[in-house]
Amino acid sequence: MAARTSSCEDNDSSREKLNMGEETTKDSLLERPRFVDRLEDCFFYHAMELPGFGLVPAHWDLRGRFGDYVGGVDVTGKSVMDVGAATGFLTFEAEKRGATRVLSFDMSDAKQQTFLPFKDKLYYRDHDRWARKYNEEIEQWKNAYWLCHRLLNSRAEVYYGNIYDLPPALGQFDIAIVGSVLEHLSDQITALASIARVTKETIVIVTPVLPTEEHIARLEPAADNPDYDFTWWRYSVGAYREILKILGFNIARITEAQYRYEQGDCLETRSTIVAVRN
C-alpha cells in the first residue's frame, strides 16, 4: 500500500475552521496517524531499529544514549513533550521508559523554518519555490516518524504547528525535551517562552553552548560558507541562565557528551541543560 499523506492544505483548512469559532481542544489539534510502509517514502534523521527492517541508519545515532542526552532526567510516570521530534527517537524512548503521555511536536509547514538568507541560494532568491521543495522533504521526515510510530506500537500523540505559538489547549507537560532545535531558530527566546508556557516542571535543552557566564550569543555561519545556512546562534551558559530565570526556571545542571553524527562520520559534542521551574 502506498504511503498516505495529509496535505498542508488540509491542515490549514482544519486550523481555519478552528479559528472561525470551533472550540479548540486537544483532540482537535492532534494529527491523525498516516499509514506508511515503505522506506523509500521516508527520510530518517535518527537511526532506528525497526521490526521487519532492522537498523535504519540516519544522520544521528542516539541509540543507547537517551539517559545521557536528556541529562539524566527520569521520565517515568511523567508527561513529556518532544519538541522537534523528527524521526521520533526521543519520543519512542520516553515511552519505553514509562512516560505516561508523550506528545511529538514538529513544524506544520516549511515556511515556519528560517534559514540564513545567503544571496545566491534558493531560499533567498525564490522563497515560494524553496518552500515547495522543502515541504516535500518535511513530508518525508513525517513519513519516517509515522512508519516508526506504527511498527513500534507507539501511543504517542502528534501535533504539527508553530514552535513560537504552542497552544495552551495541548495541555501541560511535566517535561519538555528540546533536542538540537534552538540553534536552528532565528529567535530562540520566543521559542523558549512558548515551550515554557506548557511545561510544568523541567525543560531539557540539548544544544551547543559558549562556556561563559557573559550574556552573549555568537552568530554561527560565515559569508564564505553558504552551505552552513541552517544554524543561527550559539548562546552562552550565562544567556541561557538569564533567559530561563525570566521564564521562571533555574538551571539545575549542565552535562556534556559526544554523540555519533553519521553524515559527518564523527562525534559531535553537545551540552544538555536541565532547567527546573521555580
Side-chain angles (χ1 to χ4, degrees):
M1 184 183 294
R4 180 177 65 82
T5 61
S6 57
S7 69
C8 295
E9 288 79 7
D10 290 342
N11 288 340
D12 289 343
S13 175
S14 298
R15 289 179 176 85
E16 284 174 10
K17 290 178 182 177
L18 291 172
N19 292 331
M20 292 171 61
E22 283 189 22
E23 182 182 0
T24 303
T25 64
K26 176 175 74 71
D27 289 342
S28 69
L29 293 169
L30 299 180
E31 292 294 316
R32 296 177 181 175
R34 58 175 78 171
F35 183 88
V36 181
D37 64 353
R38 301 197 319 159
L39 291 181
E40 295 89 336
D41 298 324
C42 302
F43 179 92
F44 282 78
Y45 181 75
H46 299 119
M48 301 292 297
E49 294 188 51
L50 299 176
F53 292 102
L55 174 61
V56 183
H59 282 13
W60 289 95
D61 190 348
L62 302 179
R63 291 174 301 148
R65 304 297 306 281
F66 179 84
D68 294 333
Y69 198 78
V70 302
V73 172
D74 186 3
V75 301
T76 306
K78 302 290 186 178
S79 56
V80 176
M81 177 171 59
D82 179 9
V83 179
T87 311
F89 175 83
L90 300 176
T91 289
F92 307 131
E93 287 297 308
E95 283 189 300
K96 290 178 186 176
R97 285 161 171 76
T100 55
R101 177 195 176 199
V102 183
L103 181 134
S104 301
F105 163 76
D106 236 316
M107 74 180 83
S108 58
D109 188 271
K111 287 187 176 181
Q112 293 168 345
Q113 177 72 58
T114 52
F115 289 114
L116 274 296
F118 284 91
K119 65 180 180 65
D120 294 326
K121 300 204 73 171
L122 186 62
Y123 175 87
Y124 183 72
R125 290 187 292 103
D126 189 341
H127 193 259
D128 286 340
R129 183 181 167 205
W130 168 86
R132 288 193 296 272
K133 291 173 65 69
Y134 191 46
N135 257 330
E136 293 175 1
E137 182 177 319
I138 295 300
E139 289 304 304
Q140 289 184 316
W141 286 45
K142 292 176 180 178
N143 282 346
Y145 174 93
W146 285 113
L147 176 64
C148 296
H149 189 280
R150 178 174 62 84
L151 293 178
L152 297 175
N153 297 312
S154 173
R155 299 179 62 185
E157 300 166 337
V158 177
Y159 169 69
Y160 296 142
N162 187 342
I163 194 170
Y164 298 115
D165 190 22
L166 294 171
L170 290 173
Q172 291 284 304
F173 297 87
D174 298 318
I175 301 167
I177 302 174
V178 191
S180 297
V181 171
L182 295 182
E183 64 266 31
H184 302 303
L185 303 178
S186 58
D187 183 358
Q188 294 194 24
I189 297 174
T190 300
L192 274 173
S194 174
I195 294 164
R197 273 194 295 267
V198 294
T199 305
K200 290 190 292 186
E201 296 179 7
T202 305
I203 298 177
V204 177
I205 301 169
V206 184
T207 189
V209 299
L210 299 173
T212 174
E213 287 295 333
E214 284 191 86
H215 300 172
I216 61 174
R218 184 179 74 196
L219 184 67
E220 287 295 276
D224 62 356
N225 187 11
D227 289 335
Y228 194 44
D229 61 350
F230 50 87
T231 298
W232 287 78
W233 305 100
R234 184 180 300 220
Y235 279 29
S236 68
V237 170
Y240 279 120
R241 194 182 307 281
E242 203 64 23
I243 293 162
L244 288 162
K245 281 183 179 178
I246 290 170
L247 297 172
F249 289 78
N250 286 320
I251 293 180
R253 61 185 175 275
I254 301 175
T255 60
E256 190 175 274
Q258 291 186 319
Y259 303 97
R260 183 71 186 169
Y261 182 46
E262 292 292 351
Q263 189 178 32
D265 190 24
C266 62
L267 293 173
E268 291 274 351
T269 300
R270 290 293 181 271
S271 295
T272 298
I273 300 169
V274 177
V276 296
R277 185 173 285 281
N278 296 340

